[in-house]
Amino acid sequence: MIKLAIDAMGGDFAPEEIVKGVNLSIKEYEDLELILYGDEEQIKKYLTPSNRVTIVHTPMVISMGEEDPRREIRNNKDTSLVQAFTAVKEDLASGVVTAGPTQAVVVSAHVVLRRIKGMSRMALCLGLPDLGDGKQRLLLDSGANLELKAEHLVQLAEYATIYMREVMGVKEPVVGLLNIGTEEAKGREIDIEAYHLLKDNKNVTFFGNIEPKEMLASPCDILVTDGYTGNMVMKTAEGVAIAIGRVLKQGIMASTKAKFGYLFMKGVFKELKNKTTADSIGGAILIGADGIVIKAHGSSNATSFHAAIGLARRTVLANVAEKMKAIIGAKDE
């Protein structure tokens, strides 16, 4: 059985949507056992009883608006988030899934789990939407580190390559460096240095520089950059998708002819919405942590949190962390 720790109180719509996502996951995966950390009374309002779900009463919560999560985590180890991480640390669970605040998740990973020995940084590795070519792409770092060195980007590309191969089923993942131009000498000093290091690295298949406008249509499976750039790109893409949706809605409602046409295009619009929301992606894996950590979107509903649990399950089954440790160990010998 695969055991996962769930922060039932993390997220904008916790615990209701989190617990409903748990119900969906228990129904779909017979090899899954879940430990829910949170307010037991609140959880039971929405939980479908199952002998594969355990509730650990931890009513204290890290607020989504917490200004100093590092202090809160160090001073208060009884919150649902920290207790879920502690379960992984103590081998009570193989991974943790949370929709809690990103900074709190990263800090908890550092304080409770620590980094894999030999890993220089952790990074959030996010699945990008497939907009038609069938290719699954990963973007990292999408927010864990504002700044990174060139050698950090290379190591993250190595881990993401393992993750893409073992979890996503891509035999030879192609890595691209997110940059302002495709030429070898483009970008900041870090980008130029990272380009040459990636080009010479035997553990990755390096394509070259990729401009942000091409990231959803490039031949690359993995896109690497620093956390500041990655987060800006990710949130810009989300904002554009939302804005386009609003414009389309306004256009459809503007005339009877447009409303009539929408009836024929309804399936297409629904498919587009499904591809650009968190429901199919699930969340981001925090790579580099000594344990499986899946960060679900803060506004996760039941469907998207269910997808995040599924992602955690696949990652545990693929034994990704141990395979990365093997590569790091081989390089140190």
Side-chain angles (χ1 to χ4, degrees):
M1 298 292 284
I2 298 166
K3 290 187 178 182
L4 298 176
I6 307 296
D7 172 20
M9 309 306 288
D12 296 334
F13 306 112
E16 180 175 358
E17 293 300 321
I18 304 304
V19 177
K20 288 181 178 179
V22 165
N23 294 337
L24 293 173
S25 300
I26 287 295
K27 183 178 180 180
E28 179 172 355
Y29 304 115
E30 295 182 356
D31 60 352
L32 203 58
E33 288 186 14
L34 301 178
I35 308 171
L36 275 58
Y37 292 85
D39 188 312
E40 184 172 12
E41 184 178 345
Q42 293 296 317
I43 290 172
K44 284 184 174 180
K45 290 180 181 179
Y46 311 106
L47 181 67
T48 300
S50 169
N51 59 7
R52 291 187 284 123
V53 177
T54 303
I55 302 173
V56 177
H57 184 56
T58 48
M60 300 189 71
V61 179
I62 295 179
S63 169
M64 294 297 284
E66 174 61 48
E67 294 182 0
D68 191 350
R70 181 175 294 274
R71 183 184 62 186
E72 176 69 12
I73 288 165
R74 289 189 181 278
N75 294 340
N76 188 355
K77 296 179 172 56
D78 293 328
T79 61
S80 59
L81 177 64
V82 175
Q83 285 298 302
F85 272 85
T86 302
V88 178
K89 177 69 175 179
E90 296 178 350
D91 293 325
L92 299 175
S94 298
V96 58
V97 186
T98 176
T102 299
Q103 189 179 359
V105 172
V106 175
V107 171
S108 293
H110 278 282
V111 172
V112 180
L113 295 180
R114 309 289 185 180
R115 292 194 300 267
I116 292 174
K117 186 178 180 180
M119 282 292 292
S120 300
R121 293 291 185 276
M122 297 183 191
L124 283 169
C125 187
L126 178 72
L128 295 174
D130 165 24
L131 295 184
D133 62 1
K135 183 179 283 291
Q136 301 177 90
R137 297 180 177 87
L138 300 177
L139 171 67
L140 72 158
D141 180 11
S142 59
N145 306 276
L146 294 182
E147 297 180 354
L148 289 169
K149 295 180 180 179
E151 57 265 32
H152 299 153
L153 292 176
V154 173
Q155 193 175 54
L156 296 178
E158 289 178 328
Y159 196 117
T161 294
I162 296 171
Y163 179 74
M164 178 65 83
R165 185 170 60 235
E166 302 296 337
V167 177
M168 313 294 276
V170 179
K171 291 183 178 180
E172 191 173 348
V174 177
V175 175
L177 180 64
L178 208 60
N179 206 339
I180 59 172
T182 59
E183 297 87 351
E184 185 173 331
K186 279 284 190 178
R188 304 161 295 181
E189 184 176 341
I190 176 183
D191 301 312
I192 297 171
E193 184 181 355
Y195 184 101
H196 292 290
L197 290 176
L198 287 165
K199 185 178 179 181
D200 296 334
N201 189 284
K202 65 180 181 180
N203 293 317
V204 302
T205 300
F206 184 52
F207 177 83
N209 289 328
I210 293 293
E211 295 184 18
K213 67 181 181 180
E214 299 173 335
M215 69 178 191
L216 296 180
S218 78
C220 298
D221 305 285
I222 299 163
L223 299 169
V224 293
T225 186
D226 60 90
Y228 183 85
T229 303
N231 195 266
M232 289 283 284
V233 167
M234 175 188 70
K235 289 181 177 177
T236 299
E238 288 178 350
V240 169
I242 292 170
I244 290 175
R246 289 173 179 168
V247 170
L248 287 173
K249 185 175 181 180
Q250 290 171 358
I252 290 169
M253 299 302 293
S255 70
T256 302
K257 183 183 292 186
K259 292 177 183 177
F260 185 72
Y262 169 73
L263 296 176
F264 293 95
M265 296 291 290
K266 188 175 182 179
V268 175
F269 287 130
K270 184 177 181 180
E271 183 179 0
L272 178 61
K273 181 180 179 181
N274 289 339
K275 288 181 175 181
T276 55
T277 64
D279 292 1
S280 60
I281 297 170
I285 178 174
L286 184 65
I287 68 172
D290 195 3
I292 302 303
V293 179
I294 301 298
K295 169 63 176 77
H297 202 287
S299 60
S300 290
N301 58 20
T303 303
S304 55
F305 198 80
H306 164 54
I309 292 174
L311 179 60
R313 173 182 171 274
R314 294 196 304 274
T315 307
V316 170
L317 286 172
N319 204 20
V320 172
E322 293 304 317
K323 289 172 181 174
M324 187 60 189
K325 289 178 185 178
I327 277 192
I328 295 172
K331 291 173 70 174
D332 290 341
E333 292 177 356

